[in-house]
Amino acid sequence: MAKSRSGVFKKEASELLNRFNASLSFDKKLYEEDIKGSLAHADMLEKQGILTKDEAKAIADGLKTVLSEIKNGKFVFDIQDEDIHMAVEKRLSEIVGKEIGGKLHTARSRNDQVALDFKLYVQKNSLHIMTFTINLIKTLLDIAKKNTDTLLPGMTHLQHAQPINLAFHLLAYMCMFRRDVERFDSSYERNNFSPLGSAALAGTPYPINREKTAKELGFDAPVSNAMDGVSDRDFALEILFNISVLMMHISRLAEELILWSSMEFRFITLSDEYSTGSSIMPQKKNPDVPELLRGKTGRVYGNLIGLLTVLKGLPLAYNKDMQEDKEGVFDSVETAAISLQILNETLKTMSINKDNMLKACAKGNLSATDLADYLVTHSNIPFREAHFITGKAVARAEELGVDISQISIEELKKVDDRIGDDATVFLSLEASMNARNSKGGTAKSATLSQINDMEDWLNGFK
Ligand code: ARG
């Protein structure tokens, strides 16, 4: 019989109810948080004179025994116990006796207990994800430092636009991941308040010390309202949202890795360690890793929408619907953790085909804007007119079968005699890239200063 059933019940719970109601199969993941919370609670009860020293010691020793039993795989999880909270408490009572074990739950409810355990899990994993994301930024930065001279076509609409360097391209992703780290960090700060001691919904008549348990468990302070303490799942929504945005960034990078490793691009080659084969076509090496990163992003979004929907109609305070908060969070956290690690390794082990990137720059008239800019700066022609003239020059280059960066000065002058003798100097790919030296631009000098900024941020973080 599940221990949450008091003497009010005249019949046993049905087998079907036990199966439907239980969360033990998934919330057993919270065993460490549950025992940590109970240790802090029992210690506080003793300091407040609610438990005797001997009782508190027996409970603490018993909880540590339960912890090692779970860790060693000796603990028997029984669905009849409903959830991890009841399962741990039942085993504690078996070890220390019901007389003492039954006192642990004084001045506490499963409602504040589950809110606490879940929040501890979310806070701990926010820090893990931040560390993995920082490792990813470090890898991108290492690759960037070696590739400030590696030219590739910058694109808009997936069409060749302007030449950029690879470091600059990767810095765009570093900026996204940096915001992700900051987002997890700010959620951590905002939610770092302990629900323990909220009890069922209205607080407790026992003289508890919520500040003590809050500090002991690594929180800044207790939450200020008990009803909010047991009903709030914003922290869970925030980690789901933060992971969704992070995975969206990962997915965009993954999409580029897929494109770049295709035969059409061949900008990169994924390592054998992180490529997969085909069961029928022996020549194939498939980018399953970035494809799965892209695909898993969908499920992570689903977890966010799922919990938002579960919560939207709930009256205060705790409702059993809230038991549905955990599986999606566990899934998103585990997905983010493995995704960040495998993306990091995939990037570290891939090879960059600089020649193919450069060859691709010779197509698409990437430096056309530079001709327009030249006409503005050197011939005092309004930009709109310069834009039109340049279009004619591009059309001429296409007729000749050359890229605008390769066209002769004679041909250019035929398009418009205001084009000076020195114009082609500005049309080389390198000149084009380095011309964009505004702050945040792709010029090598501007790229190097972005690298410095990113390094400063990394060093300053923590
Ligand atoms: N297993 C429950 C959950 O995950 C624990 C809290 C149950 N509280 C209650 N009053 N039924 O939400």
Side-chain angles (χ1 to χ4, degrees):
M1 186 179 77
K3 270 176 47 184
S4 63
R5 290 169 83 83
S6 74
V8 77
F9 291 91
K10 297 199 174 68
K11 285 186 180 171
E12 294 286 315
S14 77
E15 174 50 30
L16 193 57
L17 172 63
N18 282 340
R19 273 197 286 135
F20 187 67
N21 198 36
S23 52
L24 186 59
S25 64
F26 52 87
D27 68 15
K28 62 184 177 192
K29 214 182 274 296
L30 297 175
Y31 74 89
E32 274 184 313
E33 285 79 11
D34 194 71
I35 291 172
K36 193 175 166 190
S38 289
L39 285 168
H41 181 64
D43 185 52
M44 180 277 292
L45 290 179
E46 187 234 308
K47 299 284 175 317
Q48 298 302 106
I50 302 166
L51 288 182
T52 67
K53 248 194 165 54
D54 289 349
E55 287 167 342
K57 169 135 181 34
I59 287 176
D61 290 347
L63 285 169
K64 284 174 196 157
T65 305
V66 178
L67 182 66
S68 70
E69 285 179 359
I70 299 179
K71 284 199 160 149
N72 299 333
K74 291 201 190 114
F75 190 95
V76 185
F77 289 100
D78 179 357
I79 194 186
Q80 300 232 7
D81 292 331
E82 195 180 326
D83 57 27
I84 187 65
H85 324 293
M86 301 309 292
V88 168
E89 195 187 311
K90 186 186 85 179
R91 182 68 190 126
L92 174 71
S93 287
E94 284 169 4
I95 297 168
V96 302
K98 279 187 181 154
E99 201 51 42
I100 293 177
K103 293 191 175 181
L104 171 62
H105 212 50
T106 315
R108 184 176 78 168
S109 153
R110 263 190 305 163
N111 298 347
D112 58 339
Q113 192 178 355
V114 71
L116 171 72
D117 295 1
F118 196 28
K119 196 179 255 189
L120 286 171
Y121 172 90
V122 164
Q123 295 294 75
K124 178 176 82 183
N125 283 287
S126 296
L127 297 179
H128 287 165
I129 293 174
M130 281 162 69
T131 304
F132 289 136
T133 311
I134 285 174
N135 290 343
L136 177 65
I137 296 174
K138 284 183 180 158
T139 296
L140 288 166
L141 199 58
D142 283 346
I143 302 173
K145 281 185 184 164
K146 293 181 203 128
N147 286 285
T148 51
D149 291 311
T150 307
L151 284 163
L152 80 161
M155 302 200 186
T156 63
H157 312 269
L158 204 59
Q159 303 289 326
H160 284 205
Q162 290 173 340
I164 57 173
N165 68 75
L166 181 61
F168 174 73
H169 192 118
L170 297 180
L171 276 158
Y173 284 105
M174 286 180 244
C175 290
M176 300 178 215
F177 293 128
R178 171 178 163 168
R179 286 195 297 277
D180 287 323
V181 171
E182 289 170 344
R183 211 174 277 116
F184 281 101
D185 192 38
S186 93
S187 292
Y188 187 99
E189 297 289 316
R190 183 168 32 265
N191 293 303
N192 205 31
F193 298 94
S194 169
L196 186 60
S198 299
L201 75 162
T204 170
Y206 298 94
I208 58 171
N209 183 346
R210 295 190 60 210
E211 278 74 17
K212 177 180 158 42
T213 47
K215 283 271 170 295
E216 183 97 14
L217 293 166
F219 293 106
D220 295 334
V223 297
S224 64
N225 176 281
M227 208 171 217
D228 182 49
V230 293
S231 316
D232 169 37
R233 291 294 182 274
D234 291 1
F235 61 91
L237 288 172
E238 285 194 37
I239 199 171
L240 287 173
F241 174 76
N242 295 344
I243 292 173
S244 294
V245 179
L246 166 69
M247 287 300 294
M248 179 269 289
H249 294 150
I250 288 177
S251 185
R252 292 183 76 169
L253 176 52
E255 171 64 15
E256 298 213 292
L257 296 179
I258 296 162
L259 277 175
W260 287 3
S261 60
S262 69
M263 281 299 163
E264 284 68 26
F265 279 80
R266 275 291 170 212
F267 286 3
I268 56 166
T269 308
L270 298 179
S271 69
D272 282 0
E273 285 165 281
Y274 293 98
S275 300
T276 47
S278 155
S279 60
I280 172 169
M281 297 166 282
Q283 84 285 11
K284 297 272 317 257
K285 282 188 185 173
N286 290 329
D288 284 24
V289 170
E291 286 172 334
L292 276 172
L293 292 171
R294 194 176 55 182
K296 284 175 187 292
T297 303
R299 210 174 69 222
V300 161
Y301 292 178
N303 292 333
L304 170 63
I305 300 299
L307 185 56
L308 281 168
T309 311
V310 164
L311 293 171
K312 81 178 183 61
L314 298 187
L316 295 179
Y318 178 84
N319 300 268
K320 190 70 173 216
D321 314 45
M322 291 162 80
Q323 183 166 285
E324 293 293 316
D325 59 2
K326 288 170 209 66
E327 288 157 288
V329 170
F330 294 159
D331 179 54
S332 285
V333 162
E334 282 158 25
T335 300
I338 194 165
S339 296
L340 286 162
Q341 291 172 82
I342 202 161
L343 175 58
N344 198 353
E345 293 308 314
T346 303
L347 291 169
K348 274 188 191 164
T349 56
M350 73 183 186
S351 44
I352 294 167
N353 307 327
K354 296 185 187 185
D355 287 352
N356 290 344
M357 289 188 178
L358 188 62
K359 268 187 223 145
C361 290
K363 288 178 270 178
N365 304 299
L366 292 171
S367 53
T369 317
D370 297 272
L371 180 56
D373 290 338
Y374 171 88
L375 290 169
V376 170
T377 316
H378 293 81
S379 312
N380 198 25
I381 295 175
F383 183 79
R384 199 41 66 211
E385 191 188 348
H387 180 266
F388 183 79
I389 296 167
T390 304
K392 289 207 296 186
V394 168
R396 181 63 190 142
E398 279 172 356
E399 275 166 29
L400 295 166
V402 294
D403 187 78
I404 197 79
S405 59
Q406 304 294 326
I407 197 168
S408 70
I409 192 66
E410 293 74 27
E411 287 294 341
L412 277 182
K413 280 170 162 300
K414 276 191 230 163
V415 174
D416 194 298
D417 60 10
R418 287 171 292 175
I419 296 177
D421 291 340
D422 55 348
T424 51
V425 175
F426 297 89
L427 302 187
S428 80
L429 296 169
E430 204 140 290
S432 170
M433 178 189 86
N434 283 320
R436 286 172 177 72
N437 60 2
S438 51
K439 191 169 170 55
T442 190
K444 185 170 177 179
S445 58
T447 300
L448 287 171
S449 90
Q450 291 167 58
I451 287 177
N452 276 341
D453 288 351
M454 195 55 70
E455 251 169 356
D456 285 351
W457 176 79
L458 275 175
N459 293 334
F461 202 83
K462 273 174 254 184

